[in-house]
């Protein structure tokens, strides 16, 4: 984690793409590829600490993350297969494992700043994981979102998610 950004924070970013809406978690994949790239520039001790922390936090569910974030496998190695789940069960398992991963990555010494751009082109499962992240109120994580307001009306799923979050009194 030595390749940290401003004052010890990790800044990672991802951008949703108009013609890649069918790819779930697209901007998250970009952002965490950025994270892995920064991690790979760290010294061996730092990488080994990350791997140890990963296995302690994620256990035998690592494949849930590496199947969505393949570049992560360059650091943590090939992960054992997990039970195949479909639909809501698979999405819920991903949320659970992803939020544990965020807890492991974002620490007092190494806060995480996540910037996601072009949310007008996001997909529903990405919105669901974003909502879970924001509502989890994870410490040491700051999320910045950008979108073209002329392309997000009151019927757009992103607008609906933001309205729902407003009712929870999360700082916006």
């Amino acid at each position: 984690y030595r390749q940290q950004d401003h004052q010890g924070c990790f800044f990672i970013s991802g951008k949703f793409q108009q013609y890649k809406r069918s790819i779930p978690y697209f901007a998250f994949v970009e952002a965490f590829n950025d994270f892995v790239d920064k991690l790979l520039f760290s010294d061996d001790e730092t990488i080994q600490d990350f791997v140890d922390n990963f296995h302690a936090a994620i256990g035998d569910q690592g494949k849930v993350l590496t199947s969505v974030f393949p570049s992560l496998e360059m650091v943590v190695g090939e992960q054992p297969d997990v039970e195949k789940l479909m639909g809501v069960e698979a999405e819920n398992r991903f949320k659970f494992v992803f939020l544990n991963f965020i807890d492991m990555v974002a620490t007092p010494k190494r806060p995480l700043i996540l910037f996601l751009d072009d949310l007008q082109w996001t997909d529903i499962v990405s919105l669901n994981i974003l909502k879970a992240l924001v509502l989890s109120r994870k410490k040491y994580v700051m999320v910045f979102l950008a979108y073209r307001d002329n392309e997000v009306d009151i019927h757009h799923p992103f607008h609906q998610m933001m309205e729902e979050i407003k009712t929870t009194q999360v700082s916006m």
Side-chain angles (χ1 to χ4, degrees):
Y1 313 122
R2 298 251 162 100
Q3 285 291 319
Q4 295 172 350
D5 296 321
H6 184 67
Q7 297 181 358
C9 293
F10 264 117
F11 177 85
I12 60 175
S13 65
K15 182 175 180 163
F16 290 99
Q17 301 287 327
Q18 182 175 8
Y19 298 109
K20 299 199 178 184
R21 290 183 191 187
S22 63
I23 302 172
Y25 311 118
F26 185 81
F28 286 96
V29 172
E30 275 194 351
F32 284 93
N33 282 344
D34 188 16
F35 173 79
V36 168
D37 289 346
K38 291 175 183 187
L39 185 60
L40 287 172
F41 280 100
S42 299
D43 60 50
D44 291 343
E45 181 182 341
T46 301
I47 293 172
Q48 189 58 53
D49 286 345
F50 177 86
V51 171
D52 294 343
N53 291 337
F54 179 87
H55 291 297
I58 305 304
D60 62 356
Q61 298 295 303
K63 189 75 159 188
V64 172
L65 293 173
T66 60
S67 66
V68 174
F69 309 123
S71 66
L72 186 58
E73 205 168 77
M74 292 188 302
V75 178
V76 298
E78 188 173 344
Q79 298 296 298
D81 288 334
V82 294
E83 179 184 357
K84 298 266 189 231
L85 299 177
M86 301 299 292
V88 174
E89 289 179 326
E91 190 176 340
N92 287 339
R93 177 176 62 185
F94 179 75
K95 281 182 210 172
F96 177 77
V97 175
F98 180 73
L99 292 176
N100 284 342
F101 180 66
I102 293 296
D103 278 338
M104 185 210 90
V105 168
T107 67
K109 290 182 180 178
R110 194 181 61 253
L112 177 67
I113 299 171
L114 172 62
F115 175 69
L116 298 174
D117 196 6
D118 283 336
L119 274 112
Q120 72 275 6
W121 294 321
T122 189
D123 58 282
I124 296 298
V125 293
S126 294
L127 282 177
N128 289 342
I129 197 67
L130 177 59
K131 179 179 165 186
L133 176 59
V134 171
L135 293 179
S136 70
R137 301 174 191 225
K138 296 290 182 195
K139 292 183 178 182
Y140 318 115
V141 177
M142 183 174 285
V143 180
F144 288 90
L145 306 174
Y147 64 98
R148 296 179 188 173
D149 63 353
N150 64 326
E151 294 188 35
V152 175
D153 64 17
I154 62 171
H155 303 292
H156 193 284
F158 175 67
H159 180 270
Q160 293 171 352
M161 182 200 79
M162 293 302 291
E163 288 300 312
E164 191 174 332
I165 288 173
K166 283 180 188 177
T167 66
T168 65
Q169 299 182 2
V170 171
S171 298
M172 293 181 29

